[in-house]
Each structure stands twice: as C-alpha cells, then as structure tokens.
Amino acid sequence: MFYRENGQFKTSYRADQQVFPILQDKIAVWALIAACFVLVPMLASDYFYLAILIPLVIMSLAALGVNILVGYCGQISLGSGAFMAVGAYGAYNFVARVPDMPLIPALILGGLCATFFGILFGLPSLRVKGLYLAVATLAAQFFSDWMFLRIKWFTNDSPSGSVSVNNLQVFGIPIQSPQAKYLFCLALLVVMAILAKNLVRSAIGREWMAIRDMDVAASVIGIRPMYAKLSAFAVSSFIVGVAGALWGFVHLGAWEPAAFSVDISFKLLFMVIIGGLGSIMGSFFGAAFIVVLPIVLNLVLPALLGVFGVEISTAGISHTELMIFGALIVWFLIVEPHGLAKLWSTGKQKMRVWPFPH
Amino acid sequence: MAFFLETFIGGLMAGMLYALVALGFVLIFKASGVFNFAQGAMVLFAALAMARFADWMPQWTGIDNKIFANVAAFVLAAAIMFAVAWAIERLVLRHLVNQDAATLLMATLGITYFLEGLGQTLFGSEIYTIDVGMPKDPVFVLESAFQGGVMINPEDVIAALIAAALVAALSVFFQKTGTGRALRAVADDHQAAQSIGIPLARIWVIVWCVAGIVALVAGMIWGSKLGVQFTLTTVALRALPVVILGGLTSVPGAIIGGLIIGVGEKLSEVYLGPFVGGGIEIWFAYVLALVFLLFRPQGLFGEKIIDRV
C-alpha cells in the first residue's frame, strides 16, 4: 500500500537493469544522499561529527570493502585491520616522502599499497578456504602489526611507530573543521559506494558470487577461481585501504599501529555479518550498529543503573559493554542471521502488502 | 650447542602449552563443526575463576591450607566451566543448528566478548597470580656433555607433563568409553549419529564441558607462568596456527603442530629475529602455518577435503 510498485512498467533492458529500478527507491536514495550533504551539516554539532558521523562514514567505507570480500566472494577475512593499516601507513609515506603530495592521490596510492598487500595475503585463498582461510588471514594482521612497529622505514623512523599528519587540504580547501572532514569522507563514500554497487552488478561481481556459492561448480562453468578470488581481494583491500587512510588522516590525525589491531578486524567482520552479507546497503547498517552501539550504551547504562541505585565504575561500564555487545551479536545471529539488510527488505515487503498480511 | 638445545627444549615446552589450548579448539570442532574462537576467553575466564577462588577460599572456609585452597578452587572453577558449557549449548548453539560455519564462528566471537566482560565483572580485572606450588628455579642438566649444562625450567617440565597426562586421559576417554565413541560418531556425521539415538544436545554439552576443563588446565598453567590477566586471551590467538598446521580435526595434530610451532617460534626468534628487528614470534607461527597450508591445505593430520558439485 505504502510501497506500491505496480504500474511502473519497463520497456527496455536498460530501464530494467538500473540500480534502483523502482521509482520511490531511487527518489528515497537521492533524497537520503542530499540530506546527508545538506541537512546534516545544518543540524549536527561538533561532538556529533567527531564522535559519531565521521567514524560512521569511514567505517561504512571499510565495511563496504570487507563486504565485497566476505559477502560477495565468500572469503572470510580476519585481516581487514591489516589492510586498513597498510592503507594508512602507505598514504602517510607518500605524503611524508613526496613533496607537495595532494591528499586524494595520496589516499589512492595508499589504497594501491593495500591492494598489493591484499593480493599477497590473498594467495592462500587459492588453496584453502572457509575457516582455514579465516585463520590464515590473521597472518596478515599480525604481520602488519609487527611491520609498522618494528620496521622504522615505514614510520619515517619514529620510535614507537606513531605518526601524524596535518594541514590536510583538497584543491586548496582545508579539511580542518569537523564539518569539512565529514563532507570530504562522505563524498568519497558516495563515490566508492556507487562504484562498488556497479562492480558487483557487473560480470566480475557475478563471478565473485558464483565462487562464493560454490567454487567447484563455478570453475566447472569456466570461471577462473584464481582471477575471481584475487580480484576480490584486490578490490576489497583497495577500498579498505582507502578507509584506513581516511581513518588515520582524517579521524585520528595521529596514530600508532595499535589503532589497527586485530580488534578492528573483528569489528569489521561483525559489521558485515550484522549488516547483511552480500549487500551494499547492509554495510552501512552494520557500520551504524557497531559504531553507535557503544556510544549509546555509554550514555544509557549509567542512567539506567542509576534508576536502581547502582553506581557503576568506568571499568564496570566497559565490561558491561563487552557483555551486552557479545550478547547482542549472538542474539542477532539467532534472530536474523541474514542481517539488518534482510530486516529492511522484510519491512519493505510488509509495506508492499499492507494492510493484508499476504 | 647447549644454547641451541636450551632454545629447542624451551620451544618444545611452549609448544606443549600451545597444544593444550589448541586441543580445546580441536575437540569442539571435531564434535560440532564449530570453530570455537571463544577458547581464549574460556581460558581467561577459567583462570580468573581459579585464581580468585583460591584467594577467597581461606576466608570462606577458614582453612588456611594452600593445597586445599587450590584443589577446592579447581573444583569450583570446573563447576563454573560446566555451567558455562551448558549455557552456551542451551542459549546459543541450540538455536544455530544448521547455520553455516561463518555464522557459528561469529557466534563464538560474540561469546568471546561476553565471557571477557562477564569474567572481569565477576572476578575483577587486575593481575592475579595462581600459585600451585610449581618450582620456579631453573635447573641445569647434561653438565657433563656441555660446558655450563643445559638450563631447563622445572615449571615448564611439570606443565608439559600435566599437558601430556591430560592428552592421554582424553585419548582414553575418546577411544575406550561409550560416551567417547558417541562423540566420535557425532563428529563423523551428525544426522547418522542422531538417527541411531545419540542425543546431539547432550553430546555438545559434554564436548563443551571437556573443552572447559582443557581451558581450565591451560589457564592454570599459563596463569601460574604469566599471571592471570587480560593478555591471556592472546594465548588463544597464538594457538590458532597450531590448529591449522595440525589439522582442525586431529588431536595428535594439535600436539605435533604445537611442538612444531613452539620450536619454530623460539628458534626463529633467536636465530632470525636479530636480522629483522626482533619480535617476530607472533607472526612467524602464522606464516609458517600459511606456507605449510599451501602444500597441504588440510593440515598435517586433517581429513582430506573433497569437494563435489
């Protein structure tokens, strides 16, 4: 009733194969993007930008990258934090070593470093798969942790591996205020998301999905597993690498290897699973869930326990947060193993047939 | 030569301890197909429980005897691990039957977070010690063969002996008892085992209980070596390459994989580390396992993976 799509006839293949073939979807998405660019900057405070929006946008980008690998190509990866780190330190090296390096090429070059690293550590995927691969990708994580801590060249000889960047600017426009940072990251996210969406709709995206669904059958029908898997690793780690560079450059400003620890790899995997495997939209949902949840818990928990007259320490909050986080993940997996994206489409279906349930 | 032997033996001892944690992974994977990422959190949880109960025991019972306190703490911690195993089966696994491996892996990651939070809420998050009275002073052996002898840590030897005893006990349990046979049947084929009347749910509880006990023993040994603290969970991450090297489904694989990784780590750290800046222990094990996987994807003793369309 509210989501009526009858009467929207397609008379050409072109019209039928659009990203959003249904008119109201298209309008809604454009309106949402416009709101993010126009409405949000009018309303948001600096705290809101720094604590929620910027991390959310960057993590969405990273989750998008991980979703291409895990959700579309079915290669479970626990090394995403490493690809972020390589992207960040790669971009840092270009900025630090090349005089007058503009920001955007530096980000792209950082992403390319991550691509190279991703292909290298994606090689085991040709031989092993599933859980073995998940563990094997941890190698990338620990290797990068060690590399940026111990090999001084990568960190420009800083003793603890901590580096910093400043005076970010794009085309002469400084990226200093929270608002500018947000808009810059958002613009990159929109561009990347559109590219990714089109990529997964293309021939190569279908190859990835064929490999995910059953790699033996895919290779029988003439899909080259090596090409498909490594290209998924390459594209995924490029996006994750750019997200990592943004995380370091824009969000943190100064960072050390611990900023990209194995914890961040787990969180990215959570985002993808909770958001929905194999769904671009799901990456955003998942990132929102994981980024916003701790902040909400931090605000709500003391107030809620205060009602019962229980004082809670900071350590207590962080432990409770861990417990709730873990319990929610399990609960989510039990109730909706296909993620928030599935809930979203269920909701749309309900709107479609309302007021009749079937 | 003496130094090489020292390193080698130290590696073997460390490997035995890795094997102990790896054993927990293998047991659960074998019997339920769940890759239990929570093993590290279970080790931490069990060690925390044991350390705290041993502290509290004199206050509760008024008996100020270290052996009694440790034994009682061990029993209590074991009981808690049983409760945890039961809760995991009842609240999590039962609802996730027939989900794919990735979902189950994620669920155990959720359990990891939950147990880490719960353990530290219940038992506090400082550094505790477990003192089970292991001798700490190093002894020197083979002094006639090498100058200065070979230094061995008796603590490590005892730990390795305990681990070996545990492995032996588990093998007997798996091979000789009815429950053990049922476990192996479930490992081979869930549905077939169910159809001949083996209760799947009970088997899973038993397996998680056994994994809990293994975690407790591992936590006790690691805890008395390193102190009980949050970093204990990273021990599990270091045991992961052991599992994939040895094969996910093989108990002897976990042991031999553990020994290979332990020795490889120590030797690489000592002989390779200085050239590349040290601290390579943590990734060397992974890269070793990874290179190995390229030649034998199912691990040393894993079952051959056959894909059919």
Side-chain angles (χ1 to χ4, degrees):
Chain A
M1 164 89 186
F2 294 114
Y3 188 77
R4 212 182 264 175
E5 62 201 74
N6 48 354
Q8 297 184 26
F9 300 116
K10 305 290 183 295
T11 49
S12 65
Y13 283 115
R14 206 182 141 72
D16 198 39
Q17 289 180 341
Q18 285 176 332
V19 177
F20 296 109
I22 297 165
L23 185 65
Q24 56 266 47
D25 276 357
K26 193 189 273 178
I27 295 171
V29 167
W30 280 116
L32 187 68
I33 293 176
C36 288
F37 275 106
V38 180
L39 218 56
V40 169
M42 282 158 63
L43 299 173
S45 65
D46 274 7
Y47 167 78
F48 205 64
Y49 279 124
L50 294 175
I52 297 179
L53 286 176
I54 296 175
L56 175 59
V57 169
I58 300 174
M59 276 302 158
S60 300
L61 186 59
L64 188 70
V66 178
N67 210 337
I68 285 183
L69 186 61
V70 181
Y72 283 96
C73 198
Q75 313 291 312
I76 306 172
S77 163
L78 290 172
S80 324
F83 302 146
M84 281 182 86
V86 172
Y89 279 101
Y92 167 78
N93 270 303
F94 281 109
V95 168
R97 287 171 203 282
V98 181
D100 296 326
M101 186 78 185
L103 181 58
I104 290 181
L107 291 179
I108 291 174
L109 286 169
L112 288 176
C113 295
T115 307
F116 177 73
F117 192 77
I119 292 177
L120 189 68
F121 278 90
L123 285 175
S125 72
L126 305 178
R127 290 286 282 161
V128 297
K129 54 189 165 190
L131 300 169
Y132 282 88
L133 181 66
V135 177
T137 51
L138 274 173
Q141 182 66 50
F142 292 119
F143 186 75
S144 93
D145 282 357
W146 171 85
M147 183 165 72
F148 295 121
L149 202 60
R150 300 291 179 135
I151 302 184
K152 297 300 172 208
W153 188 86
F154 287 116
T155 52
N156 224 351
D157 299 320
S158 94
S160 62
S162 66
V163 297
S164 65
V165 286
N166 39 31
N167 294 329
L168 298 176
Q169 51 177 344
V170 176
F171 304 124
I173 307 164
I175 309 281
Q176 293 296 339
S177 71
Q179 193 177 1
K181 286 178 176 176
Y182 163 72
L183 287 175
F184 175 63
C185 295
L186 185 67
L188 268 182
L189 172 66
V190 169
V191 171
M192 291 279 207
I194 291 172
L195 287 178
K197 179 76 194 174
N198 281 301
L199 202 58
V200 297
R201 278 156 23 97
S202 69
I204 187 156
R206 288 196 298 275
E207 283 185 9
W208 292 340
M209 285 185 265
I211 290 283
R212 170 194 66 189
D213 291 339
M214 178 136 214
D215 53 353
V216 181
S219 62
V220 167
I221 60 168
I223 290 167
R224 293 162 293 173
M226 184 173 109
Y227 176 74
K229 284 180 181 174
L230 289 188
S231 64
F233 264 98
V235 172
S236 157
S237 43
F238 176 78
I239 298 177
V240 176
V242 171
L246 282 178
W247 188 257
F249 278 44
V250 179
H251 179 56
L252 299 175
W255 72 94
E256 50 188 11
F260 302 101
S261 65
V262 69
D263 211 38
I264 215 165
S265 296
F266 288 154
K267 286 218 164 116
L268 283 172
L269 193 61
F270 285 144
M271 287 178 197
V272 172
I273 302 245
I274 286 178
L277 285 166
S279 154
I280 299 285
M281 180 93 83
S283 317
F284 301 126
F285 288 141
F289 187 80
I290 300 286
V291 170
V292 175
L293 181 69
I295 297 168
V296 171
L297 285 181
N298 252 317
L299 291 175
V300 172
L301 270 181
L304 197 69
L305 289 171
V307 173
F308 301 104
V310 182
E311 283 284 324
I312 189 162
S313 61
T314 330
I317 291 180
S318 73
H319 296 155
T320 320
E321 208 183 291
L322 274 179
M323 282 164 65
I324 295 181
F325 196 72
L328 267 178
I329 288 164
V330 171
W331 182 78
F332 242 104
L333 289 170
I334 291 169
V335 177
E336 190 47 272
H338 299 288
L340 291 165
K342 175 75 179 170
L343 281 184
W344 175 248
S345 60
T346 313
K348 277 207 294 200
Q349 181 59 25
K350 289 252 190 296
M351 298 287 267
R352 193 175 280 134
V353 296
W354 191 88
F356 308 110
H358 296 294
Chain B
M1 188 61 197
F3 180 63
F4 174 81
L5 262 183
E6 254 170 42
T7 321
F8 190 83
I9 293 172
L12 282 182
M13 299 300 164
M16 208 62 209
L17 297 185
Y18 289 143
L20 207 50
V21 184
L23 208 57
F25 284 108
V26 169
L27 285 176
I28 290 185
F29 189 81
K30 230 173 129 61
S32 57
V34 177
F35 192 86
N36 179 27
F37 234 96
Q39 192 66 29
M42 281 166 73
V43 170
L44 173 71
F45 191 84
L48 271 175
M50 165 118 192
R52 297 305 280 157
F53 283 140
D55 272 1
W56 291 334
M57 206 44 76
Q59 299 166 25
W60 286 350
T61 57
I63 304 170
D64 197 6
N65 178 323
K66 206 166 79 180
I67 295 173
F68 168 76
N70 275 318
V71 170
F74 187 89
V75 172
L76 268 182
I80 285 197
M81 291 318 286
F82 287 163
V84 167
W86 179 82
I88 288 175
E89 198 282 328
R90 188 76 193 74
L91 299 174
V92 183
L93 291 180
R94 185 169 291 189
H95 303 283
L96 289 173
V97 177
N98 287 337
Q99 298 286 354
D100 56 295
T103 312
L104 289 165
L105 173 81
M106 295 296 296
T108 64
L109 275 170
I111 296 171
T112 307
Y113 279 92
F114 188 82
L115 279 184
E116 282 171 4
L118 184 69
Q120 295 184 73
T121 309
L122 291 179
F123 304 115
S125 48
E126 281 106 65
I127 300 176
Y128 305 106
T129 49
I130 293 180
D131 184 10
V132 285
M134 288 199 202
K136 301 243 179 207
D137 301 320
V139 292
F140 293 90
V141 294
L142 291 176
E143 278 180 85
S144 53
F146 304 108
Q147 204 198 344
V150 176
M151 191 182 80
I152 288 181
N153 204 337
E155 197 186 22
D156 285 345
V157 178
I158 293 176
L161 286 179
I162 294 176
L166 189 69
V167 169
L170 281 175
S171 320
V172 172
F173 173 66
F174 266 95
Q175 302 294 334
K176 302 288 177 199
T177 65
T179 316
R181 271 197 294 277
L183 284 176
R184 280 186 294 147
V186 172
D188 272 352
D189 190 335
H190 285 177
Q191 282 182 337
Q194 248 179 331
S195 69
I196 56 164
I198 294 172
L200 203 54
R202 197 196 303 161
I203 293 296
W204 277 351
V205 173
I206 291 173
V207 161
W208 280 76
C209 283
V210 173
I213 293 294
V214 173
L216 177 57
V217 174
M220 186 177 80
I221 296 174
W222 277 105
S224 65
K225 221 170 134 69
L226 306 171
V228 179
Q229 51 181 320
F230 192 71
T231 47
L232 214 54
T233 52
T234 55
V235 166
L237 288 179
R238 302 183 66 173
L240 278 179
V242 173
V243 189
I244 54 171
L245 182 69
L248 276 173
T249 49
S250 161
V251 172
I255 313 294
I256 294 175
L259 295 179
I260 294 176
I261 293 280
V263 170
E265 246 183 34
K266 288 280 180 296
L267 289 181
S268 69
E269 182 64 46
V270 170
Y271 291 103
L272 220 62
F275 297 107
V276 288
I280 64 171
E281 267 184 85
I282 181 96
W283 62 263
F284 185 82
Y286 276 93
V287 173
L288 189 72
L290 222 139
V291 170
F292 190 81
L293 279 186
L294 291 180
F295 296 103
R296 209 178 142 80
Q298 70 271 37
L300 262 181
F301 297 98
E303 288 154 23
K304 183 132 184 64
I305 306 161
I306 300 167
D307 286 318
R308 290 193 183 86
V309 177

